[in-house]
């Protein structure tokens, strides 16, 4: 089973600042990596697939990078609606399809 | 517009059973693999089960193998999860999620709002 590790657990950022979230896989997942956003009381929403391809309707301030075992989600200028929990997920080696434990982006 | 609507959650005693349903609309249901993902209170996301587009292939997390059964009715655009021998640790919101292709190395591109399952005496 591939273990996904996200860091940091919590990221405190001021509106308008840049946020950088990390995700590490215990073995290579190629570019088969997705990022999801979850706001309180809501279902997760797909942001990024293929490590760097934004899903339909996702603003350009969200960008993903990386391949193999190291991945990054960058939010270039945080808006109020971006404060949420972000999860990475690998879909390269399955089953199981595995998620990271999440990074909470909170207002500083 | 893709819509996934879960139902069937509720309070059940340990050892009991529950059947979850997910009604799908807005896409060709029979073309895509479908999934159940759960989230315990205050915790992260845990993949539970996946079924291929034609029902021929199913996968389960070790934590539910032998107790849960995933199935689908493509004629009714509905996904199911039969949960037996429920335990307290099965308490979670259960999300229905669509895979972006028929099965495999693809992300989950649409999610339902979830249904809460509480296992408690």
């Amino acid at each position: 089973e591939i273990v996904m590790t996200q860091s940091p657990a919590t990221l405190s950022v001021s509106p308008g600042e840049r946020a950088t979230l990390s995700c590490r896989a215990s073995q290579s997942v190629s570019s088969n990596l997705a990022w999801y956003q979850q706001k309180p009381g809501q279902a997760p929403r797909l942001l990024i697939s293929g490590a760097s391809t934004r899903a339909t309707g996702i603003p350009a301030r969200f960008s993903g990078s990386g391949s193999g075992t190291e991945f990054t989600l960058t939010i270039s200028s945080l808006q109020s609606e971006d404060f949420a929990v972000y999860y990475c997920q690998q879909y390269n080696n399955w089953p199981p399809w595995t998620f990271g434990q999440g990074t909470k982006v909170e207002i500083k | 517009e893709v819509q996934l609507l879960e139902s069937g959650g509720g309070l059940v005693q340990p050892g009991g059973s529950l059947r979850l349903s997910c009604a799908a609309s807005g896409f060709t249901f029979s073309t895509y693999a479908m999934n159940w993902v759960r989230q315990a209170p205050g915790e992260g996301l845990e993949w539970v089960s996946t079924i291929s587009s034609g029902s021929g292939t199913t996968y389960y997390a070790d934590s539910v193998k032998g107790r849960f059964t995933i199935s689908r009715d493509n004629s009714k655009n509905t996904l199911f999860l039969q949960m037996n021998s429920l335990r307290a640790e099965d308490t979670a919101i259960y999300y229905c999620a669509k895979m972006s292709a028929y099965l495999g190395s693809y992300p989950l591109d649409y999610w339902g709002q979830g249904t809460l399952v509480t296992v408690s005496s």
Side-chain angles (χ1 to χ4, degrees):
Chain A
E1 172 177 333
I2 294 181
V3 177
M4 307 300 293
T5 303
Q6 293 185 239
S7 62
T10 303
L11 188 60
S12 298
V13 185
S14 299
E17 289 188 341
R18 182 186 195 93
T20 302
L21 290 68
S22 296
C23 175
R24 173 176 293 179
S26 60
Q27 63 189 78
S28 176
V29 298
S30 185
S31 294
N32 292 318
L33 189 285
W35 290 94
Y36 301 88
Q37 177 193 64
Q38 186 178 33
K39 298 179 182 179
Q42 295 187 18
R45 176 176 72 149
L46 177 66
L47 292 178
I48 301 279
S49 63
S52 61
T53 302
R54 282 189 304 277
T56 303
I58 302 303
R61 63 181 181 272
F62 291 92
S63 63
S65 63
S67 65
T69 62
E70 300 284 343
F71 300 89
T72 301
L73 174 69
T74 302
I75 311 171
S76 59
S77 176
L78 270 158
Q79 307 298 302
S80 57
E81 61 267 29
D82 301 335
F83 292 96
V85 179
Y86 293 83
Y87 294 94
C88 63
Q89 180 219 9
Q90 69 83 21
Y91 49 92
N92 190 66
N93 290 48
W94 46 269
W97 290 260
T98 48
F99 293 89
Q101 79 279 20
T103 290
K104 181 180 181 180
V105 177
E106 64 176 23
I107 300 175
K108 187 175 182 179
Chain B
E1 179 192 6
V2 172
Q3 291 193 338
L4 299 169
L5 184 61
E6 301 94 336
S7 61
L11 175 63
V12 62
Q13 292 188 338
S17 298
L18 215 51
R19 189 192 199 203
L20 306 184
S21 299
C22 171
S25 61
F27 65 102
T28 306
F29 181 72
S30 60
T31 304
Y32 297 93
M34 295 296 296
N35 306 261
W36 290 100
V37 176
R38 69 184 180 183
Q39 186 170 36
E43 300 296 324
L45 301 172
E46 179 189 15
W47 169 77
V48 172
S49 184
T50 296
I51 186 167
S52 62
S53 56
S55 302
T57 304
T58 57
Y59 298 100
Y60 299 92
D62 286 346
S63 57
V64 307
K65 200 172 293 182
R67 300 187 299 122
F68 289 12
T69 302
I70 190 172
S71 62
R72 63 192 294 164
D73 185 339
N74 285 346
S75 68
K76 296 183 178 178
N77 293 346
T78 305
L79 175 71
F80 303 101
L81 186 67
Q82 177 67 42
M83 303 186 295
N84 299 331
S85 303
L86 283 160
R87 307 166 180 167
E89 55 264 36
D90 296 318
T91 295
I93 296 173
Y94 284 73
Y95 293 103
C96 163
K98 170 186 168 293
M99 192 168 273
S100 64
Y102 73 99
L103 180 65
S105 296
Y106 300 98
L108 305 178
D109 57 356
Y110 290 94
W111 298 61
Q113 284 303 302
T115 187
L116 177 61
V117 172
T118 303
V119 185
S120 175
S121 55

